[in-house]
Amino acid sequence: MYVVMIASECAPVAKVGGLADVVFGLSRELELRGNAVEIVLPKYDCMRHDQVWGLQVAWRDLAVPWDGGAVTCTVWFGFVHGRKCYFVEPHSEHAYFSRGAYYGFPDEAWRFAFFSKAALEFLLKAGKRPAVIHTHDWQTALVPVLLYEIYAGAGMADVRVCHTMHNFRHQGVAGPEILRATGLERPGHFCAPDRMGDIESVGVNYTRGAILYANFVTTVSPHHAWEVRHTDLGCGLGHSLHQHQRKFGGILNGLDYEMWNPEIDPHIPERYGPATLDGKAANTRALRERLLLRHGPRPIVAYVGRLDTQKGLHLIRHAIFFATANDAQFVLLGAGSEPGINEDFWQLKRMLNDSPDCHLEIGYDEELAHLIYAGADLLVMPSLYEPCGLTQMIALRYGTVPVVRAVGGLADTVFDWDHSPLPREQRNGFVFEHPDHAGVESALRRALGLWRNEPELFRELAKQGMAYDYSWNDPGGRYLDVYEFIRHK
Ligand code: ADP
């Protein structure tokens, strides 16, 4: 099958978060199964050009109809670790993708509406007719709308769209003027509440458009698919999702099992697997030496991830104090996008600076992340919401036992050692329900207790986690089923 991904990120060339990993990982899995996949991305000036091979011009002077005129674009082609990628570079005074950062501009909704339009214009003019276009998040949510309202009539009527929501909190809202700019026109029609009208403004809600127009909509875990329809985690879209629930479902993200594999990981001093779990001890030693923690018979609890309210920051903070007060060590690696949050954690770091049992690393460090997953005993993830979460899957792969709150993808991937209805040999971590101190303490207390009092059982638990397969193998098949289903509709 010929599939085109249209997205705002793809690892490692243009990565901000998990979305980038999914676009790359799913594309690779689809290709391994014999499908042809191409990825269309903006050509950001700040992207990692060193991760693109053979970059060359694929289409010069692509005139994209825009705002009553046209914007000329150059479309580039290059390989990103084997994936075929097209990069759209607009030439206009707005310099949409030449601003030194991926996101964070006041005209965000216009930038990505333009990208969506340009990507379709490129497919049309280049004669590309994929069976399925797969779009991701609000940035490309207008693609299904534009496809059916404009491009179907221009020769793309057989193309189907699957849209995946990675985060419902960001939906893409612009004023009605965007309808003129994109050529959709008819604000009275499109801004109606049962079409693309935003419930909080008089604007156009791109994600509402995708839910209405895409042939299938997914989110990144089955449990989150339930949450967004039945709780406030749908962020105002629950009703639309209910109306279209026959074409909505959750598919768990996969993990790149080549990049995350303790048996071949080049970033860790001692490689190990389920049969050689003792090798973890050398990584624990290396982690302690690198972060100046004291050696000794106490477990290391870790947190790796963005420092965002979504992640349950007050509970992470509490876990630090709880762990260190209970003869465990704590290691944190994270960076916040908001200055206030970073400052809070810097303050905490200064406060704990002299502790031989605690280290906070504020920043982004891919290599240290690998060492933490390999060297820690437990990984805590007390998220307030978590559409899927990759971190707990990485921890499982590295024999590091996850301690998580039962939300979103965490509830689909971590099964409590004491209370899960699954047979004991299928349990793989510790889970708590309530996002409060008592909740996180109850799970951590049980985890630390097992580590200390029943080391053999703790080891079994770690091994059981390693036995889980959270690679792209299963989700790749599920996405192909969705594509097959919609292509014959
Ligand atoms: P989200 O997509 O919400 O950021 P995920 O759990 O899905 O969370 O993915 C997080 C990914 O980013 C993981 O691969 C994690 O190792 C990585 N990561 C997050 N913060 C950092 C950091 N400060 N340094 C290194 N890697 C990080």
Side-chain angles (χ1 to χ4, degrees), residues 303-363:
Y303 173 82
V304 179
R306 290 180 300 115
L307 297 176
D308 185 290
T309 324
Q310 169 199 341
K311 303 289 179 184
L313 296 176
H314 62 297
L315 300 177
I316 293 170
R317 211 181 149 93
H318 188 69
I320 295 174
F321 289 108
F322 183 80
T324 46
N326 285 277
D327 201 23
Q329 296 181 315
F330 202 100
V331 168
L332 174 142
L333 169 63
S337 44
E338 292 169 37
I341 293 177
N342 263 343
E343 189 38 51
D344 283 353
F345 275 85
W346 269 107
Q347 219 167 349
L348 191 59
K349 181 182 167 75
R350 283 191 288 269
M351 191 170 122
L352 299 167
N353 211 21
D354 296 331
S355 166
D357 291 325
C358 184
H359 183 94
L360 273 51
E361 187 74 24
I362 320 286

Side-chain angles (χ1 to χ4, degrees), residues 107-340:
D107 59 348
E108 211 75 331
W110 279 65
R111 295 170 73 214
F112 288 101
F114 176 80
F115 170 62
S116 300
K117 176 94 183 171
L120 282 171
E121 193 69 25
F122 169 60
L123 297 185
L124 176 73
K125 294 213 170 115
K128 293 181 180 292
R129 299 293 181 269
V132 172
I133 294 177
H134 194 156
T135 51
H136 299 266
D137 265 351
W138 73 265
Q139 289 91 343
T140 50
L142 274 187
V143 167
V145 182
L146 293 167
L147 180 67
Y148 289 101
E149 291 291 343
I150 298 174
Y151 289 86
M156 295 178 75
D158 292 335
V159 180
R160 300 286 177 265
V161 181
C162 171
H163 182 75
T164 297
M165 283 304 297
H166 301 252
N167 193 336
F168 279 86
R169 209 167 47 163
H170 306 289
Q171 300 176 4
V173 178
E177 316 78 54
I178 200 70
L179 296 168
R180 177 170 176 270
T182 51
L184 287 166
E185 307 289 351
R186 297 190 289 158
H189 173 72
F190 285 110
C191 289
D194 60 340
R195 303 200 76 80
M196 291 163 65
D198 188 50
I199 49 170
E200 285 174 3
S201 67
V202 286
V204 177
N205 183 310
Y206 298 2
T207 301
R208 199 179 285 281
I211 294 169
L212 193 60
Y213 282 82
N215 302 95
F216 208 89
V217 179
T218 69
T219 188
V220 291
S221 68
H223 192 64
H224 196 55
W226 181 89
E227 288 170 342
V228 294
R229 276 183 296 141
H230 296 99
T231 74
D232 58 2
L233 294 179
C235 303
L237 293 175
H239 181 64
S240 297
L241 291 167
H242 254 299
Q243 282 181 317
H244 296 280
Q245 60 181 323
R246 282 202 316 280
K247 59 166 188 172
F248 175 63
I251 299 179
L252 199 66
N253 282 338
L255 186 67
D256 186 332
Y257 267 30
E258 281 193 13
M259 180 190 288
W260 299 107
N261 180 356
E263 287 176 293
I264 54 167
D265 192 327
H267 302 297
I268 60 176
E270 174 104 8
R271 318 238 156 92
Y272 62 95
T276 50
L277 194 54
D278 287 341
K280 213 168 152 52
N283 295 300
T284 304
R285 255 194 318 279
L287 179 63
R288 286 194 170 120
E289 268 154 32
R290 170 144 179 200
L291 302 181
L292 304 177
L293 298 178
R294 67 172 154 166
H295 294 279
R298 47 184 72 77
I300 301 181
V301 184
Y303 173 82
V304 179
R306 290 180 300 115
L307 297 176
D308 185 290
T309 324
Q310 169 199 341
K311 303 289 179 184
L313 296 176
H314 62 297
L315 300 177
I316 293 170
R317 211 181 149 93
H318 188 69
I320 295 174
F321 289 108
F322 183 80
T324 46
N326 285 277
D327 201 23
Q329 296 181 315
F330 202 100
V331 168
L332 174 142
L333 169 63
S337 44
E338 292 169 37

